């Protein structure tokens, strides 16, 4: 595996097939996963009154988003169960994850990573994780679950247009709970137009000054957000 060091010191990989990195090299793999996905999702959905949090991680990749979510919920002393279903079509990548060099914040989950690499699933009293090996646009049409959080993280719209289509977003809309949230790194006008057409209200991440160098990704919800200015701003 040819590790690529990102701005925050965490490593990512380059996909020869898609011609893109799995994370932003300029922003940092760990910062991107925490600040554009895990933390805003938890801030919007909440966790104090939930016995379970159900997550759909679209394009698992190296697993940063799901592992960062687990890390953040542990930091916040979440007492419930974290149920993660992830869509990933690259078996070879998953099989190599046990050899990937994760940052210390995520390396503590080596048992989860090893089980995912070997069996594509993991479960203990606090975490349930299942990888569905299928094309995401096909898999979502077969799903009957509903989700509190969705991480929309395919390669770019130029490389995977089927995962940024209005049809795909409509399928996600049907799977998202009324008080749920979708996070994505994309701030593309085309992507946002399609998300709006699918029925979502859209917001941009409201990063602190320390994180002002990050591109403003997109947050999508089914119900307008009130009092969340600390986390996001309408677009």
């Amino acid at each position: 595996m040819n590790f690529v060091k990102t701005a925050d010191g965490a490593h990512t990989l380059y996909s020869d097939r898609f011609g893109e990195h799995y994370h932003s090299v300029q922003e940092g793999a760990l910062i991107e996963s925490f600040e554009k996905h895990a933390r805003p999702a938890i801030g919007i959905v909440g966790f104090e009154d939930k016995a379970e949090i159900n997550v759909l991680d679209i394009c698992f990749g190296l697993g940063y988003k799901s592992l960062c979510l687990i890390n953040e919920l542990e930091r916040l002393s979440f007492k419930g169960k974290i149920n993660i279903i992830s869509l990933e079509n690259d078996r070879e990548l998953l099989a190599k994850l046990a050899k990937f060099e994760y940052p210390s914040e995520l390396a503590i989950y080596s048992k989860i990573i090893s089980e995912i690499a070997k069996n594509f699933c993991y479960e203990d009293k606090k975490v349930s994780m299942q990888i569905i090996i299928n094309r995401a646009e096909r898999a979502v049409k077969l799903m009957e679950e509903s989700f509190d959080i969705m991480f929309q993280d395919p390669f770019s719209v130029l490389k995977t247009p089927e995962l940024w289509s209005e049809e795909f977003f409509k399928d996600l809309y049907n799977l998202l709970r009324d008080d749920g949230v979708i996070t994505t790194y994309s701030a593309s006008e085309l992507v946002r137009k399609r998300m709006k057409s699918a029925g979502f209200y859209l917001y941009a991440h409201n990063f602190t000054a320390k994180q002002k160098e990050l591109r403003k990704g997109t947050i999508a919800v089914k119900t307008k957000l009130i009092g969340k200015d600390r986390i996001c701003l309408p677009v």
Side-chain angles (χ1 to χ4, degrees):
M1 304 177 79
N2 296 318
F3 299 142
V4 178
K5 194 171 185 178
T6 67
D8 59 8
H11 291 99
T12 190
L13 294 177
Y14 181 81
S15 171
D16 291 325
R17 176 184 175 189
F18 291 100
E20 294 180 355
H21 291 94
Y22 281 86
H23 302 92
S24 171
V25 175
Q26 293 74 27
E27 295 175 346
L30 199 60
I31 287 177
E32 182 181 55
S33 299
F34 270 123
E35 301 300 340
K36 290 189 179 181
H37 293 286
R39 287 173 180 156
I42 295 168
I44 290 170
V45 168
F47 64 93
E48 295 91 343
D49 60 344
K50 296 184 182 297
E52 295 186 330
I53 293 179
N54 295 327
V55 182
L56 180 62
D57 186 350
I58 302 166
C59 298
F60 185 77
L62 304 176
Y64 270 72
K65 300 177 300 300
S66 288
L67 296 175
C68 284
L69 180 74
I70 295 169
N71 183 282
E72 186 69 4
L73 285 170
E74 287 183 349
R75 186 184 70 82
L76 295 170
S77 301
F78 176 57
K79 304 300 182 184
K81 185 80 177 278
I82 307 167
N83 302 310
I84 300 172
I85 294 177
S86 188
L87 310 178
E88 178 57 58
N89 201 34
D90 191 340
R91 287 177 177 268
E92 292 184 4
L93 174 66
L94 293 172
K96 296 176 181 177
L97 292 184
K99 297 180 180 180
F100 185 77
E101 187 175 324
Y102 286 92
S104 59
E105 293 89 341
L106 306 185
I108 57 176
Y109 304 114
S110 59
K111 185 176 180 181
I112 295 178
I113 296 164
S114 295
E115 285 297 312
I116 291 297
K118 182 179 179 181
N119 300 314
F120 305 151
C121 63
Y122 173 86
E123 184 155 14
D124 60 27
K125 292 182 179 180
K126 299 288 293 183
V127 176
S128 171
M129 190 179 296
Q130 175 190 2
I131 311 295
I132 296 177
I133 309 296
N134 197 352
R135 293 180 62 91
E137 73 275 16
R138 298 174 183 171
V140 295
K141 293 184 180 299
L142 302 175
M143 303 183 81
E144 297 180 354
E145 298 88 350
S146 60
F147 299 94
D148 301 290
I149 294 170
M150 294 182 181
F151 297 141
Q152 167 68 355
D153 195 34
F155 289 107
S156 72
V157 66
L158 294 176
K159 304 294 183 176
T160 57
E162 68 279 5
L163 301 185
W164 301 97
S165 68
E166 183 177 335
E167 179 182 0
F168 186 71
F169 288 131
K170 285 181 178 179
D171 289 333
L172 298 188
Y173 187 96
N174 292 333
L175 295 174
L176 187 69
R177 292 178 175 172
D178 289 343
D179 59 351
V181 61
I182 297 178
T183 63
T184 180
Y185 65 87
S186 178
S188 160
E189 290 186 11
L190 176 61
V191 167
R192 287 180 172 178
K193 179 180 179 181
R194 291 172 177 175
M195 295 182 93
K196 284 183 178 179
S197 295
F200 291 107
Y201 296 101
L202 302 185
Y203 297 80
H205 295 88
N206 186 16
F207 297 118
T208 65
K210 183 179 179 181
Q211 297 140 356
K212 65 182 180 180
E213 71 276 7
L214 299 183
R215 291 173 298 154
K216 309 297 185 183
T218 304
I219 291 170
V221 293
K222 296 172 75 170
T223 305
K224 286 186 176 180
L225 298 175
I226 299 175
K228 299 289 185 180
D229 294 355
R230 176 180 59 84
I231 302 169
C232 58
L233 299 170
V235 296

